[in-house]
Structures are given as structure tokens and as C-alpha cells.
Amino acid sequence: MRRALGMSLWVAMVSAGLAVFLFLPHFVSDFHSRDLAQAGAFFIAIIGLDLLTGYTGQISLGHGALMAIGGYTTAALIVHEHWRDVWTIPLAGIAAGIVGFVVGLPALRLSGLYLALATFALAVAMPSLIKKFSGLTGGSQGLQFLESSPSQVTGLSGKVTVLGHTMTQNHFLYYLTWSIGIVGLGVAWLVVRGRGGRTFRSVRDSEIAAVSSGVNLAWTKTFAFALSGVYAGVAGALYAIQNEIVNPLSFTVSISILLLVGAVVGGLGSLSGLVLGALFVEYLPTLSTNVSTREGVPDFIYGAAIIVVMILLPTGAGGLLRRLARPLTTWLYTRP
Amino acid sequence: MLFAFDWTQLAQQTVIGLSSGGTWALLALAIVLIYRSTGVINFAQGEMAMFSVFIAWSLVHHGLTYWAAFFLTIAISIAGAIAVERVVIRPVEQAPVLTVVIVTLGLLFVVDGAARWFWSPETRTLPNAFSTSPITIAGVAFSWQDLGNIAVSLGLVVLLWGLFRFTKLGLALRAAAVNPDESRLLGIRVSWMLALGWGLAAGLGAVSGMLTAPALASFDQNLMQPVLLYAFAGAVLGGIESPLGAVAGSLLLGVFVNLVGTYVGWIGTDLRLPVALAVILGVLLVRPAGLFGKVSARRV
Amino acid sequence: MPRSSLLELEDVEARYGQMRALHGVSLEVGEGELVAVLGPNGAGKTTTLRAVSGTVRRSGKIAFAGKSIARRSPEAVARLGIAHVPEGRGTLSELTVAENLRLGAYTRRDRAAVREDTGRVLAHFPWLGERSDQRAGTLSGGEQQMLALARALMLRPRLVLLDEPSLGLAPKVVAEIFRIVRELNERDGLTVLVVEQNANLALDSSSRAYVLEAGRVALEGTSAELRRNESVRRSYLGY
């Protein structure tokens, strides 16, 4: 009886979420739905980061660099190879996945902070690497989609027609990004539930115990890195498509940091709160700018907000949600 | 031609490398200091040092000489960092490492934002601490500035070594870092020792920044970002648990990066950061404990 | 009964997280006494010492020289002259023997007296002088235990809390340590509260003793009385 109630509550929550997803763009300005689309890109990257950091315990401060791989793959395919933007997304995911795999190899021997340091160094060094290969990346100018044809680039097309529905490009970007995000969340859920999740978590909690219970440590860690890279790459591709430009400043260290902050705020090791993490990453800079646009003040506020959140909510919003929901779930899942 | 090899240039470039390596060493030492006492890497260390440089710049612009500003800035930096530790780090002292790391990342934004807020974003210069005229030793011309940087860096390292080796306070700092529970039983205020560690680290960072800035044609708020990365690389190279290792690692790295930049044309000056990244990754892969660190069993 | 009492515990409770380890312990240590605490594993012996030094969450009345210390931090308790030698020795492993001794007197400002005390301590443990530059972590277990005791003396303590000094040590070493403790107590009038599994040794050295069981004081009396007690003999002395 209570179980059935719990199920229906769950169904109700999921449908409410889907309803918000479907109708939200119609309640905000067209311009604003592009912000929401960008939040969707962060959402995807954060899911990937949560799989890596939250589930296998590998701290990455270099996810901005993986996003850059995705973003530049998309941009290069559009500008140099004249692909349609949407079709570049899978390739961007694969490219970043491969790089994630390669980054994951040294990660096998590093734990905790050493890995954070190495990935941080990757994020810091990325812009100068991008500038060095200017033939492919356009150097510090970056790659602009403006000169590409509207049939290639959503952002230049004005209206988009999908399955008979015509919508503005911003709505299209919103639906595209969040649909991919929802699929990504579903895939992540399939990965972490049951055996896969147990394997991931056992690596996080104790490597030696994991190995002695038959977990292939090397495979699990690099797989998590590669998978996380795919998410980051897809996010980077969407980010590039939304902004119609990539340059070395598109994917700075700040993004890498913010993604980790977003994952922590969303609640590491759980998938339920990650939307909040994405909204935090997207809107914190904007909100800080609203307070004052004076040089430096937004950064100041934003850093202070991160610190305050960490002090008040060390387990993130996800942890808070779980704590608040615990009485309810306990009631639902215990027999009277 | 082998005989055409320019030994003078090699000597000069080595000294230049030691000079920048020395300034990195101070920041590396700051990172190691905090890592040893709290097990956390302070990602805001570079920005805090940058902030110190701007304080020094303001002092100089109010008419102080370089050296007066130098010492005053160190004092302000130490006091400021102690205050920051008490306000920001102390509440998360017992929290998981990742939480503390993120707090230091938040601090990075705060300090950077504050520096852009208080000081407009134009580029600035800091007067040279040492004469810019060259000095000729054994037929090779060196700059006073490079030699001065090396002297100040190494002098500070020796001073710090003396503090930790011979003073009761230094011993207490070391004891609090390694055996906090036992130290408490001796009456050592461990939590304050951590704050003091933050202060010392900020003082080191301030010196690192104040030596780095005059060597550049001009600087802005991004001044210490590359230095932080080099310091990370130097600390990792020497072993992040070992203070003397971090110094040696940074000096080695300084010479290495500079020589590679001079003799490998393809790398030049614009790929120096990736070289540092490569050093970090290479060392972590081949010998995670660093050149001078102890290889310890991994904790379960 | 104790002469003028130096340490007084009344109804002290202590807990680790949710788990209660002491359920109201009362005991007393007089000036110049050597008092032992006996009991099985998990009875709360170590916790009792930790409640005094403030390294566990505690409540109840704890008075030292008439002053309440129940709310004081470990640092503050140490500053009052209580030296706690924890279980597992608690030497500062990275520091040398000489540095350990120096930090034993960390809170003291009287340099001349500290120098004098260093001499006295080295008279008790002459080998420490020869090893002064050796790192504490590289000493043997027995040596570390003696170093921890020596370091405690450097505080010029009014009370020493000694936790299981015999733990993991060879009988000969244990006998030597207890000989020194007894000597310090009898000759220098040092007040000691010692927790010890080895009941024989503890009752031989002490004037009075408490037996803890499941977080409470089960028995107390002079050591001679407890030695004759039937249940003490059966449970702890083994005859």
C-alpha cells in the first residue's frame, strides 16, 4: 500500500519534471531559453563529472579541458569540414571520450589530490595548447561559425522545424540540449544502479577492498574517465553550438572549477540533485553580475557564495534534499 | 658544430632559470607547508600572492621604497592569511578533503575578484629590487636581478629551515602538522598552528610575487597563475610532502623549462606551461612520491 | 582515603558519537598518590583518562586542584600541568628525541628550570642523551614509551595520566618502566593515575586502585585490599 504510494509519488515527480522540461521555455523569454539551454550543457558535463568524482572518487579539475575537446571538435568539423552542427555532437563526445581515456591512464596511479592537481594543470595549460595548434583551432581568434551557412548552424537559422513543429532557434537549442541531458541522466542511472554502481563505489571507498573482491581497478577507473569524457565532450559541443564560437577563453579554468562546484552543490554520489548544480553553475555568475557589474565584484560574490554553500551544505543540495526527504522515504518504505 | 656551442649562453640561461625557479620555489614551499599540515592543496595560494603584490604596488605608490613595501607587505600578508584561515577554513577543518579544496577554489575567486575590484585592470609595474645593470663573473654577464632573486629565495628558505629546526614555535608547527592529537596533549594549540601555517605560506607567496613582478615588463591580476602551475610542478617534482624537495624541484624545473625554451625552438616561450604540465604528469606517473619524497605504502 | 585530593571525578559520562563509553564514573586521586585503574577491554579505562585530558566528549564534574576542568580543551588542560601519555605512546614521530623533550616543556616559560628538568629527566633515562638526534619514530616500542614518559615529565606536571604503558612491550621493559614510575612517585612525589591491563603490576606499584567494568566503577580500595578480593583475584590476577 505504502509502496504503491511511493511509486506513484515517484511517477508524479518524474512527470512533473518532464512537464517543467516541456513547457518551461514558453514561460520565459526566448532569450532566456538560451540561458536555460546553456544550463543544460552544464548539466550534461556535471552528470559526467559526478560519475567520475561522486561514484569512483576521482577528483577532476580538468573537465573544462575535456569540454574544450568536444567544443573544438564540433567547431573544426563545422568550419573546416562544413558539417551540420547537430551531427558533430556524437563525434565530439567520442573525441573527448578518447582524451578522457588517455587522461584516465595516469589517473590509475594517482589518487585524490594528486589527480586534482594533474587535471588542474591540464585545465590551466589547455589554452596555450589550443593557441599553439592554430591551424586547426584558429589560435587566439578561435573559430567563429558566423561565416558558415545557416543550414549548418542552428544559431544562424532563425526558425527550426522539427517533426512538423516550427520553433525559434533558442527553443530548439533548449529542447535539443535538455533532451540529450535527460537521455544522459537515464544512461548514468543505468550505469550506477546495481552492479555498475557498486563497482564504481567500491573503487571510491577502498581500492584494495575493491580489488580483493574481484573488481578490475584499471578498467573501472579508465572506463569512468572515458565515460565522463563523453559527457564533457557532448556538453562542450552543445556549448559551442549555443555560443556559435569557440576560442581559448571559452573553456577556462573557471569552468573546470565551476563544474566541480556544481557537482558538489548538486550532491556528489547521487543523481537527483544535479539539476540544481547545473542551475547553480549557470546562474551564479549572472546573479553575481546583477549585484554589481563593477570589475571584480561578481567574481568576489561568486567565490563567497561557493564558500558559504560549502560551509553550510558540505554534502551539497543533493545531500540536503535527501536529508529532508528521509522521513518521507522511511515512512514510505517501512512496513507499518 | 660542437665547438660553436655557446657556454656563456648556457651559464646565463641556467642562472635565469634558477632565478625564476627560486621564485617558484617559494610558492611551492607555501603549498607544501599547507599540504603537510592539513592534507589540502590551497588552490588560492597563487591568487593570494598576487593580492600581496598589489598591496606592495599600492605601498610603493604611496611613496614607500621597494624594500620598505616588501617587508610591510609580508607582515600584512601573514596577518591577512591568518584572518582568512580563521574565517573560511576553520569551519571546514573537519570536513572531507574535497570540501576544503572547493573552499580554497572559492577563495581563489574571492581574492581574484577583490584584486580586480580594488585595483583597476590596467597593467602596472613594480620597481626593480636590484640594479638592472649586468655584472660580469668569469667573463659571463649576469643580471643583478637574477642573482638577487636567487639570494632572496634561498635566504628565505634557510631562514624558514632554521625556524622549523631550531625554534620551539617551529617545532610546534611541525608537531601539529604530523601528530595533531599528541600535540594537543602537550598544550600546543593545533588549530592556531594551522592558521599560523597559512600565514607563513602567504608570507612566502608574497615574496614570490614581489620577486616575480619586477622581472616582468608589466603585470596585471593574472600575474601569479603561471607561477602557481610551475610551483605545483616543482612541488610534485620534489615530492609534495618534502619542503626541501619542493625547493630543489622548483629550481630544477626553472632551469629545465628555461633551457628547453632556449634550445628547443618549437617550444619557445609559449609552450612553457604545457612543459610544466608534462613534468607534473611525467613525475606522477614515474615516481609519484617525487624525487625526494619517501615512497610510502598507500593507505587503505 | 586520599590526602588532599588533586583530581576529582564525579559522575562523569563520555561518549564517542552516539556510543556512550562512560556511565557515571567517580574517582579521586590525592596529591602524591599513585592510583591504578584496572578492568577488562572496553571497560572505559582509556576513556576515563581521555575525559580528564579533554580528548573525548564528556559531561559531569571533573575538578583539578579545586578548579573545574570539565569544559576545558586538551590544550588548556595540559597548560594546567596535566601530562597525558596516551595509549600507543604518542611520541611525535617526525621529531628527534631532543625535539620531543623540548616540546614536552612547550607551555613553560621558565627556561632555566626547563634546563634543570632536562638534566633530571636524562638522569632517569640516561640513554636518551645519547640518542638525542634520532627521530622518535625510529625508536623501539619500549624506548618510545620511555621517551613519552620523559617528555611528560618535561612539563613539570602536577599529575601524569599514564595509559597502558605495558602495551605490546616485553616484560623486562615493562618492569623497568614501572620501576621508574614508582621511583618518581616515591622519591619526587609525582602524582600518577595509571591505566593498566596487567593487574599484578598495577596493584604492586599503586597505593589505591579502581576496577572499571562496562563504563562504571565496580570496585575500589587500597591495592592491598583489592589484591585479597575474591573476584579481582579470579578475574584479573588469575589465581
Side-chain angles (χ1 to χ4, degrees):
Chain A
M1 174 59 199
R2 282 191 187 179
R3 226 190 154 96
L5 192 64
M7 273 306 268
S8 40
L9 205 69
W10 192 80
V11 170
M13 262 157 57
V14 170
S15 352
L18 279 177
V20 169
F21 157 65
L22 282 175
F23 297 112
L24 189 61
H26 301 285
F27 293 98
V28 299
S29 69
D30 188 48
F31 179 72
H32 199 143
S33 41
R34 189 178 286 218
D35 285 353
L36 288 170
Q38 189 167 300
F42 290 136
F43 177 59
I44 294 166
I46 288 175
I47 299 173
L49 189 54
D50 189 25
L51 287 176
L52 184 69
T53 305
Y55 286 89
T56 68
Q58 310 185 79
I59 302 175
S60 167
L61 273 168
H63 258 51
L66 292 175
M67 274 182 80
I69 300 290
Y72 269 96
T73 305
T74 287
L77 287 173
I78 294 174
V79 173
H80 300 314
E81 307 293 329
H82 309 293
W83 283 39
R84 168 88 216 260
D85 57 1
V86 177
W87 307 127
T88 65
I89 296 173
L91 233 67
I94 291 168
I98 292 170
V99 174
F101 178 81
V102 174
V103 175
L105 290 177
L108 284 178
R109 305 208 31 187
L110 308 180
S111 48
L113 279 175
Y114 283 100
L115 184 58
L117 238 165
T119 49
F120 181 75
L122 175 69
V124 173
M126 198 64 183
S128 41
L129 275 175
I130 289 173
K131 283 180 204 161
K132 189 71 187 174
F133 298 97
S134 55
L136 191 64
T137 62
S140 35
Q141 291 296 307
L143 294 171
Q144 297 214 18
F145 303 175
L146 276 176
E147 287 135 43
S148 306
S149 83
S151 62
Q152 272 178 266
V153 180
T154 311
L156 303 173
S157 57
K159 297 270 179 219
V160 183
T161 307
V162 184
L163 305 170
H165 283 279
T166 302
M167 57 183 99
T168 67
Q169 35 144 327
N170 288 341
H171 279 186
F172 173 74
L173 287 174
Y174 168 87
Y175 285 118
L176 175 71
T177 309
W178 281 97
S179 305
I180 294 175
I182 289 169
V183 172
L185 187 67
V187 171
W189 184 71
L190 288 175
V191 170
V192 300
R193 75 192 255 278
R195 252 184 80 95
R198 271 203 303 281
T199 308
F200 273 18
R201 278 187 291 266
S202 69
V203 170
R204 176 189 67 191
D205 296 336
S206 164
E207 290 193 354
I208 291 176
V211 170
S212 47
S213 53
V215 170
N216 185 334
L217 199 63
W219 192 85
T220 309
K221 285 179 114 177
T222 42
F223 171 74
F225 240 111
L227 183 65
S228 187
V230 171
Y231 277 92
V234 169
L238 288 164
Y239 190 84
I241 293 171
Q242 289 157 7
N243 291 294
E244 295 152 34
I245 182 177
V246 287
N247 63 34
L249 295 179
S250 307
F251 305 98
T252 55
V253 186
S254 303
I255 291 214
S256 298
I257 296 173
L258 269 182
L259 289 176
L260 187 62
V261 172
V264 172
V265 167
L268 280 177
S270 83
L271 294 171
S272 56
L274 295 184
V275 174
L276 289 170
L279 295 176
F280 188 82
V281 171
E282 171 65 25
Y283 288 105
L284 186 59
T286 324
L287 287 176
S288 318
T289 325
N290 282 348
V291 177
S292 161
T293 52
R294 224 190 120 136
E295 176 81 24
V297 177
D299 289 311
F300 182 89
I301 292 173
Y302 169 118
I306 292 174
I307 294 173
V308 169
V309 167
M310 280 300 107
I311 291 175
L312 297 181
L313 293 177
T315 50
L320 182 72
L321 282 181
R322 251 172 296 152
R323 221 161 43 208
L324 291 178
R326 192 168 299 141
L328 182 67
T329 47
T330 326
W331 182 75
L332 284 172
Y333 291 102
T334 43
R335 282 166 201 286
Chain B
M1 281 254 302
L2 191 65
F3 296 109
F5 186 81
D6 187 352
W7 289 102
T8 311
Q9 191 192 23
L10 180 66
Q12 281 170 340
Q13 292 300 330
T14 304
V15 167
I16 293 173
L18 284 174
S19 164
S20 38
T23 60
W24 305 344
L26 298 179
L27 200 64
L29 207 49
I31 289 159
V32 169
L33 216 61
I34 290 187
Y35 182 79
R36 272 173 65 96
S37 59
T38 54
V40 164
I41 288 168
N42 178 11
F43 283 91
Q45 199 76 61
E47 296 307 287
M48 287 164 64
M50 175 274 288
F51 200 87
S52 299
V53 173
F54 275 79
I55 293 176
W57 178 88
S58 286
L59 293 174
V60 167
H61 267 246
H62 280 85
L64 264 68
T65 64
Y66 176 88
W67 288 107
F70 181 88
F71 289 109
L72 194 53
T73 301
I74 294 176
I76 297 172
S77 302
I78 291 176
I82 290 177
V84 165
E85 199 277 345
R86 293 285 86 182
V87 174
V88 168
I89 299 299
R90 194 170 175 213
V92 290
E93 225 168 63
Q94 309 295 328
V97 167
L98 184 59
T99 308
V100 188
V101 166
I102 291 196
V103 167
T104 71
L105 290 168
L107 194 59
L108 186 155
F109 285 116
V110 167
V111 176
D112 180 64
R116 287 173 204 282
W117 179 7
F118 301 156
W119 292 280
S120 60
E122 75 238 15
T123 57
R124 292 150 215 274
T125 55
L126 209 59
N128 279 301
F130 303 98
S131 153
T132 45
S133 58
I135 170 180
T136 309
I137 300 172
V140 188
F142 298 106
S143 89
W144 270 112
Q145 188 162 24
D146 286 333
L147 297 177
N149 276 1
I150 297 172
V152 172
S153 305
L154 292 185
L156 199 56
V157 169
V158 170
L159 201 69
L160 209 68
W161 180 77
L163 171 77
F164 281 114
R165 186 77 179 73
F166 298 115
T167 70
K168 207 158 81 171
L169 180 66
L171 294 181
L173 279 162
R174 278 166 62 197
V178 183
N179 303 93
D181 294 335
E182 287 77 12
S183 303
R184 243 171 237 126
L185 296 177
L186 303 181
I188 297 169
R189 295 192 174 98
V190 171
S191 183
W192 273 102
M193 291 296 136
L194 301 185
L196 206 57
W198 266 68
L200 285 178
L204 283 167
V207 175
S208 172
M210 287 186 288
L211 294 182
T212 304
L216 303 171
S218 69
F219 66 89
D220 61 11
Q221 278 87 345
N222 299 321
L223 164 77
M224 294 305 278
Q225 281 170 13
V227 181
L228 180 69
L229 193 62
Y230 293 128
F232 277 161
V236 168
L237 183 60
I240 200 152
E241 304 252 16
S242 151
L244 289 179
V247 172
S250 303
L251 290 174
L252 260 173
L253 184 76
V255 173
F256 176 71
V257 168
N258 205 47
L259 292 185
V260 165
T262 310
Y263 293 109
V264 185
W266 181 74
I267 288 177
T269 46
D270 45 340
L271 273 194
R272 286 179 173 192
L273 276 182
V275 167
L277 168 71
V279 167
I280 292 183
L281 288 180
V283 172
L284 289 179
L285 278 179
V286 178
R287 202 182 143 80
L291 294 178
F292 306 95
K294 276 171 292 178
V295 182
S296 59
R298 214 188 268 189
R299 240 183 289 170
V300 184
Chain C
M1 269 293 104
R3 293 160 259 181
S4 70
S5 111
L6 182 65
L7 178 73
E8 222 180 320
L9 272 66
E10 205 182 311
D11 228 4
V12 171
E13 298 188 356
R15 55 178 70 234
Y16 299 99
Q18 293 298 309
M19 202 195 70
R20 210 141 66 127
L22 296 185
H23 306 264
V25 167
S26 303
L27 61 79
E28 219 173 326
V29 180
E31 195 97 49
E33 264 193 316
L34 200 167
V35 176
V37 178
L38 319 174
N41 274 330
K45 305 186 298 292
T46 293
T47 310
T48 305
L49 296 193
R50 296 187 62 177
V52 175
S53 66
T55 42
V56 66
R57 267 181 49 201
R58 76 278 211 220
S59 61
K61 250 180 70 183
I62 306 174
F64 178 69
K67 261 187 277 181
S68 169
I69 57 168
R71 294 184 174 281
R72 295 195 191 220
S73 66
E75 293 95 317
V77 171
R79 278 160 199 270
L80 289 175
I82 299 182
H84 183 170
V85 181
E87 203 175 14
R89 291 118 209 178
T91 43
L92 307 166
S93 48
E94 298 279 301
L95 273 54
T96 65
V97 167
E99 289 168 342
N100 262 276
L101 291 179
R102 202 160 159 215
L103 279 187
Y106 175 75
T107 56
R108 293 173 60 181
R109 296 279 170 266
D110 43 348
R111 281 166 176 246
V114 168
R115 222 167 303 129
E116 194 181 298
D117 283 356
T118 312
R120 282 200 320 174
V121 165
L122 289 181
H124 279 293
F125 306 94
W127 60 272
L128 281 177
E130 299 149 28
R131 307 275 198 92
S132 62
D133 287 331
Q134 192 176 336
R135 279 214 341 221
T138 63
L139 296 174
S140 76
E143 290 164 345
Q144 288 197 33
Q145 184 65 60
M146 291 195 216
L147 173 60
L149 184 58
R151 192 189 57 198
L153 297 176
M154 290 302 298
L155 183 67
R156 201 177 261 198
R158 298 184 63 187
L159 170 67
V160 172
L161 307 172
L162 201 53
D163 197 352
E164 298 255 7
S166 72
L167 194 73
L169 299 183
K172 227 178 114 185
V173 181
V174 176
E176 171 69 5
I177 288 171
F178 269 90
R179 186 189 63 74
I180 296 171
V181 171
R182 231 175 4 234
E183 191 177 293
L184 287 166
N185 171 253
E186 285 162 10
R187 237 185 33 205
D188 304 345
L190 184 73
T191 313
V192 181
L193 179 60
V194 58
V195 154
E196 185 49 63
Q197 285 264 12
N198 184 336
N200 245 322
L201 211 52
L203 291 178
D204 271 352
S205 320
S206 58
S207 54
R208 287 189 313 113
Y210 293 83
V211 178
L212 285 193
E213 263 160 34
R216 288 189 179 81
V217 175
L219 276 171
E220 59 176 290
T222 64
S223 301
E225 280 166 20
L226 287 175
R227 217 171 229 304
R228 289 190 297 270
N229 182 294
E230 189 66 23
S231 79
V232 170
R233 272 167 58 174
R234 225 176 314 113
S235 308
Y236 302 107
L237 299 173
Y239 56 83

